[in-house]
Amino acid sequence: MTPGSTRNGYAPGRLTVHSEPAKLAPVTRALRGAGRKIVLIPTMGALHEGHRELIRHARRIPGSVVPVVSIFVNPLQFAAGEDLDRYPRPLEDDLQVCREEGVDLVFTPQVEHMYPPGSETRIAAGPLGDELEGAARKGHFDGMLTVVAKLLHIVGPDVAVFGEKDYQQLTLVRRMVRDLDFPLRIVGVPTVREDDGMALSSRNAYLDPEQRRAAGVLSRALVAGTSVSARGHDEVLAAARGELASEPDVEVDYLELRDADLGPAPASGAGRLLVAARVGSTRLIDNVPVAF
Ligand code: AMP
């Protein structure tokens, strides 16, 4: 246990930090047994306003909620050559955010806690795990689902909260929970954006001012696309592509229309417009709902 902790691993109204799964698990189990509702918010840290919104959302869930934030930069979901080493890890700032937002429990495991030697079992995301983000990031979703499954087992939440910002992640987590009979509810929270529409992301910190300005085109393109949804799929994609073309330094990886479960785009009903692009060496993603 680390600063702020108590003998029984939990103190109402105070932040308690655990890094060992075997120490946290009995704490949440006991709280659940006492009728509290455990709500898990998994993050990789570098907490921003988007994460704060997830925590606020968690706290508004009816019942006697105990919000649990996990902070873990999961090596399994980074491919070779990605930003695992340079990913920001401002732990003290993150703990301060959690304090300000009224979080009771923070889980900050080390890699050795989550993947001790000999730990080789992985969750397979299935075909959707190889599409969209998965096409560019091999193994990303298997690694993400593996850590989410472990977090769900360790914490045993009644509810877990995820952002729509990572829509494919949210979709795959929902599917895993359904397919593998995890006994909890998954809640999705709409994306929190900057004033110019840009989705907040820990990776935005990599952008220099000119790249940050150019990156604003992603959300503008999505808005341009959705604004012509009454004219059909081709017009949506053309409008979004036209906007993206206005920033030559933004290298588009994909722009796709899908249905709300990320299957083929529907002729009518709820769809999703998704984009991924590189700005310099930084990969950015965004998505919005679109109705047909
Ligand atoms: P990360 O720390 O980037 O792994 O994100 C942790 C959680 O926060 C995920 O469920 C993300 O989808 C969510 N999240 C990240 N950015 C935002 C945002 N701008 N708005 C809402 N949720 C977000």
Side-chain angles (χ1 to χ4, degrees), residues 1-167:
M1 274 185 245
T2 40
S5 64
T6 57
R7 213 145 40 89
N8 61 1
Y10 170 75
R14 225 173 102 192
L15 184 75
T16 304
V17 183
H18 287 272
S19 52
E20 291 179 50
K23 297 246 170 84
L24 176 65
V27 173
T28 50
R29 204 181 308 126
L31 286 165
R32 213 175 168 204
R36 305 295 301 275
K37 187 177 277 185
I38 307 295
V39 182
L40 175 66
I41 303 115
T43 82
M44 297 204 300
L47 303 181
H48 51 62
E49 200 57 37
H51 300 109
R52 284 185 191 261
E53 183 57 29
L54 299 193
I55 297 168
R56 290 173 195 154
H57 205 93
R59 293 192 63 197
R60 286 197 297 269
I61 291 171
S64 180
V65 165
V66 178
V68 182
V69 171
S70 64
I71 299 177
F72 180 59
V73 183
N74 174 33
L76 279 195
Q77 68 190 69
F78 288 76
E82 289 188 350
D83 56 343
L84 174 62
D85 292 335
R86 73 167 176 152
Y87 199 87
R89 292 168 171 83
L91 182 60
E92 282 312 314
D93 293 350
D94 289 346
L95 295 182
Q96 185 54 30
V97 169
C98 289
R99 267 183 218 108
E100 287 168 13
E101 297 299 334
V103 172
D104 294 314
L105 290 167
V106 172
F107 181 43
T108 56
Q110 300 300 306
V111 173
E112 309 79 69
H113 294 127
M114 296 300 272
Y115 307 114
S119 157
E120 290 180 355
T121 306
R122 304 287 180 259
I123 301 275
L128 178 57
D130 294 327
E131 300 173 21
L132 300 164
E133 281 305 285
R137 307 185 66 190
K138 292 285 171 228
H140 169 69
F141 288 116
D142 291 2
M144 179 278 293
L145 290 179
T146 300
V147 81
V148 170
K150 286 177 67 77
L151 291 169
L152 295 178
H153 285 309
I154 293 164
V155 176
D158 300 278
V159 181
V161 181
F162 291 83
E164 290 185 352
K165 157 76 170 43
D166 301 281
Y167 194 78

Side-chain angles (χ1 to χ4, degrees), residues 227-241:
S227 68
V228 295
S229 64
R231 295 193 223 144
H233 296 177
D234 292 348
E235 293 286 334
V236 167
L237 290 168
R241 253 188 231 113

